[in-house]
């Protein structure tokens, strides 16, 4: 059976990082961690990150990012047919996404905040840091069924589930990002290729302990992730009948600086000026990582409409993938 996939366009993108930056001295002043500035930068590449102020929830950041994305797409909330939410850090009761409710979903509370009455809502869960890639594939499928406008909202607030007796707590930041995929009839397709994969062999590489804090086996991630991300990147380029020369910008998952460097080395792009990063000032923001980096460079003018972006990310499970897409109206491929 042949499934028709209509052309789509990433029409808008937005991000939100609340409050003042939390710099590394927040951790270096904790003698039990035994870290200094040099250790943090060498092992993570993070100089600062943002955590939502006390009392602020995922939905607060998500609403601001969503409104920014919709404004860029020149749309109102009433134009949205579907809202897809994703988060790696929301937890029932311990870290709920909205005030006055102990649930952990993102899409429904965002719908209420925005006032998007006709939007169907669902969350893409269990894939953590690769949430934007997975949600974009879901968006394409929903557009193929007749929906016209899909809003993806990624939101993270790691602080309530971080164990500050572990060094990996230095890595994670909070924030939100949103993207608007729209049907683009009669035009070129802006989602050129996407490949998604899972392997549950190391399902326990991420967990939640008895204190409801996050547990991560960093060594397992470091050994597994670079190879599969490089492989997914090659697959998605083959799928699009493209190569690295056809790509304007590369946005890797901002997991940590060493993971990024390992992926760059595997692809032969270690010193490539097209690789865009925000990990130094934002930290690892899980599902927010890829779309927030995209949004920051769109809104500062680095990425312009028609540019082609190659991205790859890996989340718990493991679940990973790569995506080749255009920002804004796609430009024709050179023959």
């Amino acid at each position: 059976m042949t499934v028709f996939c209509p052309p789509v366009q990433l029409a808008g993108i937005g991000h939100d990082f609340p409050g003042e930056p939390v710099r590394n001295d927040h951790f270096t002043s904790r003698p039990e961690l035994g870290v200094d500035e040099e250790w943090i930068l060498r092992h993570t590449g993070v100089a600062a990150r943002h955590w939502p102020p006390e009392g602020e929830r995922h939905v607060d950041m998500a609403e601001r990012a969503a409104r920014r994305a919709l404004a860029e797409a020149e749309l109102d909330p009433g134009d949205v047919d579907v809202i897809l939410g994703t988060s790696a850090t929301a937890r029932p009761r311990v870290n709920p996404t909205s005030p006055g409710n102990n649930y952990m979903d993102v899409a429904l509370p965002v719908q209420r905040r925005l006032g998007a009455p006709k939007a169907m809502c669902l969350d893409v869960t269990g894939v953590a840091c690769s949430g934007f890639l997975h949600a974009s594939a879901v968006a394409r499928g929903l557009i193929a069924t007749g929906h016209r406008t899909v809003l993806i909202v990624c939101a993270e607030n790691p602080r309530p589930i971080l164990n500050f007796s572990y060094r990996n707590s230095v890595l994670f930041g909070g924030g939100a990002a949103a993207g608007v995929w729209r049907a683009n009839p009669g035009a070129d397709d802006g989602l050129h290729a996407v490949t998604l994969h899972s392997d549950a062999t190391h399902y326990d590489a991420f967990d939640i302990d008895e204190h409801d804090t996050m547990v991560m086996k960093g060594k397992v991630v470091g050994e597994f992730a670079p190879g599969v991300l490089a492989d997914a990147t090659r697959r998605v380029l083959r799928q699009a009948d493209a190569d690295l020369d056809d790509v304007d910008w590369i946005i890797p998952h901002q997991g940590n600086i060493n993971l990024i460097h390992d992926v760059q080395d595997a692809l032969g792009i270690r010193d490539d000026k097209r690789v865009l990063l925000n990990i130094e000032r934002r930290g690892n923001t899980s599902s927010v990582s890829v779309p927030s980096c995209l949004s920051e460079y769109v809104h500062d003018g680095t990425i312009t409409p028609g540019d082609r972006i190659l991205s790859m990310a890996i989340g718990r499970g493991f679940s990973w993938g790569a995506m080749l897409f255009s920002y804004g109206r796609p430009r024709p491929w050179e023959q």
Side-chain angles (χ1 to χ4, degrees), residues 1 43 67 72 85 89 93-94 100 127 137 140 169 174 176 196 254 271 278 313 319:
M1 180 179 69
H43 285 85
R67 290 192 184 279
E72 192 197 5
T89 54
R93 194 174 298 277
V94 175
V127 293
R140 153 61 68 79
S169 62
L196 302 172
Q254 317 284 302
D271 299 316
N278 69 354
S319 296

Side-chain angles (χ1 to χ4, degrees), residues 181-262:
W181 284 104
R182 298 205 76 197
N184 197 27
D188 291 332
D189 188 18
L191 183 48
H192 309 302
V194 60
T195 183
L196 302 172
H197 307 273
S198 296
D199 182 347
T201 304
H202 301 294
Y203 178 72
D204 59 353
F206 291 87
D207 202 357
I208 299 294
D209 65 18
E210 64 273 16
H211 304 294
D212 292 308
T213 57
M214 181 176 61
V215 177
M216 178 180 72
K217 297 179 180 178
K219 183 178 180 181
V220 175
V221 179
E223 291 175 349
F224 186 86
V228 297
L229 288 176
D231 178 69
T233 301
R234 298 185 190 102
R235 285 172 182 262
V236 85
L237 288 170
R238 288 196 300 270
Q239 191 181 109
D241 194 22
D243 57 39
L244 285 170
D245 291 337
D246 297 310
V247 175
D248 296 298
W249 305 105
I250 302 166
I251 300 179
H253 166 51
Q254 317 284 302
N256 70 55
I257 197 63
N258 296 313
L259 169 60
I260 294 169
H261 287 165
D262 287 345

